[in-house]
């Protein structure tokens, strides 16, 4: 039971941290647009490409990379670990209690 | 289907009587586009016929029997999300304002990781057909289902109006069909897909359309880069050279008036996605949380890729269209229809055949999106209102399906009527309103019911209801309606996007009312949390095999 709770807390922590990263990066971008447009207008070297365009493309790639990372983590590790813990709970008969919300 | 042709004739006759003045100039009849579109409609109707056997039961109808794989569902979500509005709208926005178009693209995408990390798997573990299944899991079913249905239906209807009006105008431009015929055609096809083929047909319409749109947009982007020698610096400098605003198109401009507006829009886009009923409903079409996660990953990848393409196409349109004299007036200003930039560019790049292809795909796109909306609206009426609120959860399955299919036809007819009524209105604010309600009401209740033990029925119901009223009121008093539509001098509420104010308001109301709630029901609500949380986390007892 304690093992299951610790596992759920850990998985939840991973979700919150990843959500926090997306949230912070996105609002840094939005606040940049609102408060410091001249920073995003900064040109990179001699090319016409600006920091804002790089930041936007980075955010799109970040979203794809983080959803990929979480899906991989959850489908390859968390689910296996959870199945093991649930099996143990089933054997010890504690699963019913959890399902009925008594724990 | 005699009644279908009757409606069709009736509305054509109305428009023939000259009730509908044309606002946009019509394209000449475009046989390639019509032929390609006819091919799309025929093949999707074949799928609908095949799906009709699978959509007899409620489970088959709402969730395609849970048989959709993660990759298929991800592609279908992308198909649902890459609407004609986002393809034509964002390319047009980039074409006009340059960099600022990227704000929208990024905003529409960032909702997806949030959905995955915080909602998707718990959602799949708890729910069955509609998102009210989650909010009503431990709360009192009747009031919560009624509130969820009100809020889901309002999102669906506002979104639907925006799509129908856009569809009518687009088709008028692309195919040379009268506006009313276009709206009726979209409505009837939507009814056919959803009423006969259910979620199975809707999913395949979305998948086929997503693949066609991605192929078309990829071809355009590659051709643009080929024409600018695959040199990004050269490509951007070409755009700067030709655009009247010059270098300003590479930086944030005047598109958003102030920081509060930017944040408010950002909130609506980010959390609104996580509260759109037709998107959330797609998570029930896969068999478990694992496939639900894969769906979000594939959807995010495809949508992200698509937005990068629209950005390339938008800048490509600046670089290429301004060099074609037929699109530029004597004062150097673009003289075509703004929203048709991507279509004009398709003609420049790939000739008439490719122009026809992109036109047909744009039309197909609308069909896929309205079908998704219709099925979630039908779910709210059939499953939430009729079965759970009106019949207290006990209902003959055959009767439920009859009501749901009737609701689908009703929504289709309503969409046609609203599409005709709003023909000459500026309905751009309706998408904002839909996202505002989704973010403030649906997302708040969903999030709190999944994560907060102390949420009570009273808190969710009254907090949600006042939140809903507040969003609608804020939009009515905002510049887009109070000033532009009603003609008052000053807006009573200064922002077009209410989420920055309505989201915290709803959260605080739900929190305060739940905290003060000492009723017997509140004790039951709180006591139900740990069992709900265990199922949300573990998926034990998930309704994968439930036969309805």
């Amino acid at each position: 039971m304690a093992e299951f709770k610790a596992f759920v807390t850990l998985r939840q922590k991973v979700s919150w941290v990843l959500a926090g990263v997306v949230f912070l990066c996105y609002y840094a971008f939005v606040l940049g647009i609102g408060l410091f447009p001249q920073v995003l207008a900064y040109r990179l070297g001699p090319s016409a490409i600006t920091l804002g365009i790089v930041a936007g493309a980075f955010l799109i790639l970040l979203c794809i990379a983080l959803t990929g990372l979480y899906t991989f983590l959850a489908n390859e590790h968390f689910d296996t670990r959870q199945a093991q813990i649930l099996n143990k709970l089933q054997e010890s008969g504690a699963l019913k209690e959890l399902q009925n919300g008594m724990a | 289907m005699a009644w279908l042709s009757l409606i069709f004739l009736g509305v054509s006759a109305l428009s023939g009587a000259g009730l509908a003045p044309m606002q946009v100039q019509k394209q000449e009849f475009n046989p390639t586009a019509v032929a390609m579109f006819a091919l799309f409609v025929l093949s999707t109707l074949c799928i609908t016929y095949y799906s009709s056997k699978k959509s007899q039961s409620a489970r088959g109808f709402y969730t395609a029997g849970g048989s959709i794989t993660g990759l298929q569902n991800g592609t279908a979500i992308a198909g649902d999300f890459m609407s004609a509005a986002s393809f034509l709208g964002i390319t047009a926005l980039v074409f006009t304002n340059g960099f600022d178009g990227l704000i929208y693209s990024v905003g529409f995408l960032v909702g997806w990781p949030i959905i995955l990390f915080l909602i998707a798997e718990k959602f799949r573990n708890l729910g069955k057909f509609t998102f009210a299944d989650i909010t009503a899991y431990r709360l009192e079913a009747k009031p919560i289902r009624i509130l969820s249905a009100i809020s889901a239906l309002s999102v669906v209807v506002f979104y639907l109006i925006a799509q129908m009006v856009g569809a009518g105008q687009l088709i008028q431009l692309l195919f040379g069909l009268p506006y009313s015929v276009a709206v009726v055609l979209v409505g009837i096809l939507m009814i056919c897909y959803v009423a006969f083929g259910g979620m199975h047909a809707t999913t395949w319409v979305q998948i086929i359309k997503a693949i066609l749109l991605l192929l078309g947009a990829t071809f355009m982007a590659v051709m643009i880069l080929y024409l600018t020698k695959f040199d990004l610096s050269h490509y951007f400098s070409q755009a700067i050279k030709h655009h009247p605003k010059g270098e300003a198109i590479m930086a944030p401009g005047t598109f958003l008036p102030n920081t509060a507006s930017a944040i408010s829009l950002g909130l609506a886009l980010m959390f609104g996605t996580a509260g759109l009923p037709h998107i959330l409903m797609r998570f029930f079409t896969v068999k478990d949380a694992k496939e639900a996660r894969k769906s979000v990953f594939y959807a995010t990848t495809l949508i992200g890729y698509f937005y990068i393409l629209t950005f390339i196409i938008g800048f490509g349109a600046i670089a290429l269209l301004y060099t074609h004299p037929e699109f530029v007036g004597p004062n150097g200003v673009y003289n075509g229809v703004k929203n048709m930039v991507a279509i004009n560019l398709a003609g420049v790049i790939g000739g008439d055949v490719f122009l026809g292809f992109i036109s047909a795909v744009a039309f197909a796109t609308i069909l896929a999106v309205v079908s998704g909306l219709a099925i979630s609206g039908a779910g709210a009426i059939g499953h939430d209102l009729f079965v759970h609120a009106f019949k207290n959860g006990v209902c003959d399955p055959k009767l439920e399906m009859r009501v749901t299919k009737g609701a689908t036809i009703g929504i289709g007819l309503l969409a046609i009527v609203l599409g005709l009524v709003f023909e000459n209105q500026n309905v751009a604010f309706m998408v904002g309103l839909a996202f505002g309600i989704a973010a403030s009401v649906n997302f708040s209740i969903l999030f709190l019911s999944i994560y907060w033990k102390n949420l009570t029925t009273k808190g969710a119901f009254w907090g949600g209801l006042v939140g809903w009223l507040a969003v609608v009121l804020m939009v009515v008093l905002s510049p887009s309606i109070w000033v532009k539509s009603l003609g008052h001098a000053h807006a009573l509420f200064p922002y077009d996007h209410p989420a920055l104010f309505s989201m915290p308001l709803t959260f605080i109301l739900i929190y305060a009312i739940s905290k003060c709630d000492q009723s017997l029901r509140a004790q039951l609500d709180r006591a139900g949390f740990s069992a709900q949380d265990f199922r949300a986390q573990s998926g034990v007892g998930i309704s994968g095999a439930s036969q309805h």
Side-chain angles (χ1 to χ4, degrees), chain B residues 500-516:
Chain B
L500 179 59
F501 306 92
S502 58
M503 260 184 88
L505 177 76
T506 316
F507 266 102
I508 292 168
L509 280 172
I510 297 177
Y511 176 84
I513 299 172
S514 295
K515 272 285 177 192
C516 298

Side-chain angles (χ1 to χ4, degrees), chain A residues 8-77:
Chain A
V8 167
T9 314
L10 171 77
R11 188 175 57 185
Q12 203 62 62
K13 218 178 257 172
V14 173
S15 303
W16 284 111
V17 168
L18 290 177
V21 170
V22 173
F23 194 84
L24 282 180
C25 290
Y26 177 56
Y27 281 97
F29 181 66
V30 169
L31 286 175
I33 290 163
L35 301 174
F36 315 104
Q38 68 283 7
V39 174
L40 291 178
Y42 184 75
R43 289 174 77 141
L44 299 172
S47 79
I49 301 165
T50 56
L51 196 61
I53 288 177
V54 175
F58 166 77
L59 268 169
I60 293 180
L61 296 177
L62 179 81
C63 288
I64 297 176
L66 289 186
T67 48
L69 173 72
Y70 181 81
T71 306
F72 174 77
L73 269 183
N75 285 5
E76 301 300 320
H77 295 283

Side-chain angles (χ1 to χ4, degrees), chain B residues 351-390:
Chain B
D352 272 350
V353 175
F354 189 63
L355 178 97
F357 175 79
I358 286 289
S359 306
V361 171
F363 194 168
T365 287
I366 294 168
L367 285 178
V369 177
V370 292
S371 305
L373 287 166
I375 202 166
S376 68
I381 296 174
H383 183 64
D384 295 329
L385 283 182
F386 183 73
V387 177
H388 284 95
F390 184 65

Side-chain angles (χ1 to χ4, degrees), chain B residues 39 236 345 473:
Chain B
L39 193 69
F236 281 119
L345 186 63
L473 191 71

